[in-house]
Amino acid sequence: MHTCQKDHADTSGTGEAAAYRRALFARIQSFIWQHLGDPGLCPDAIAAAHHISTRSLHRLFQSQGCTVSAWVRRQRLGRARRDLADPRLAGHTIQAIAATWGFPRPADFTRTFRAAYGVAPQDFRAGALRVS
């Protein structure tokens, strides 16, 4: 879940330029992971934090076989899913967990979670906590 379709060590290009792109992609991934809970995390903010244009950011992710927004969404969903299945967080509401990972609107989270995993967050959580 940490990479796009292709491995981020993709060597398209040559020499220093390819090494720079790999290093930049790794730094951007790390930045995104550190800021997943920020609902304002968007391609423009990510690009600005790395002193590149938004277009360059999109091209970088495209070269890895995904979009910036899809990658961020996948990371957020993965973290939320992990937390929903964690018995230690059973006292936290689904809405609180969703907000922690950058989904401030419950309906958006439910729709996105269901589209990704084929089940509503509350049903996933009930099943996950039942087995643990």
Side-chain angles (χ1 to χ4, degrees):
M1 195 172 250
H2 295 301
T3 60
C4 295
Q5 290 176 359
K6 292 194 237 174
D7 182 62
H8 71 273
D10 179 29
T11 55
S12 58
T14 57
E16 290 179 27
Y20 171 78
R21 284 191 302 277
R22 284 191 304 272
L24 178 61
F25 191 72
R27 281 194 311 273
I28 290 169
Q29 286 179 311
S30 180
F31 176 85
I32 291 169
W33 289 325
Q34 292 169 10
H35 295 89
L36 278 177
D38 178 359
L41 183 67
C42 64
D44 290 339
I46 296 165
H50 292 86
H51 310 290
I52 61 174
S53 70
T54 303
R55 182 175 180 201
S56 293
L57 178 70
H58 285 297
R59 277 198 314 261
L60 181 63
F61 272 78
Q62 184 178 29
S63 75
Q64 300 302 316
C66 62
T67 66
V68 180
S69 297
W71 197 85
V72 169
R73 186 173 42 258
R74 248 192 338 267
Q75 301 311 306
R76 285 177 166 164
L77 283 169
R79 300 282 174 96
R81 184 175 190 261
R82 178 197 65 195
D83 287 356
L84 289 171
D86 188 339
R88 296 170 298 174
L89 300 176
H92 292 76
T93 66
I94 292 172
Q95 182 177 353
I97 290 172
T100 296
W101 295 115
F103 292 101
R105 291 181 297 280
D108 292 343
F109 175 68
T110 297
R111 184 174 39 259
T112 303
F113 191 94
R114 185 187 305 264
Y117 300 114
V119 63
Q122 56 271 25
D123 296 335
F124 170 80
R125 185 179 218 188
L129 294 179
R130 200 172 28 252
V131 259
S132 48

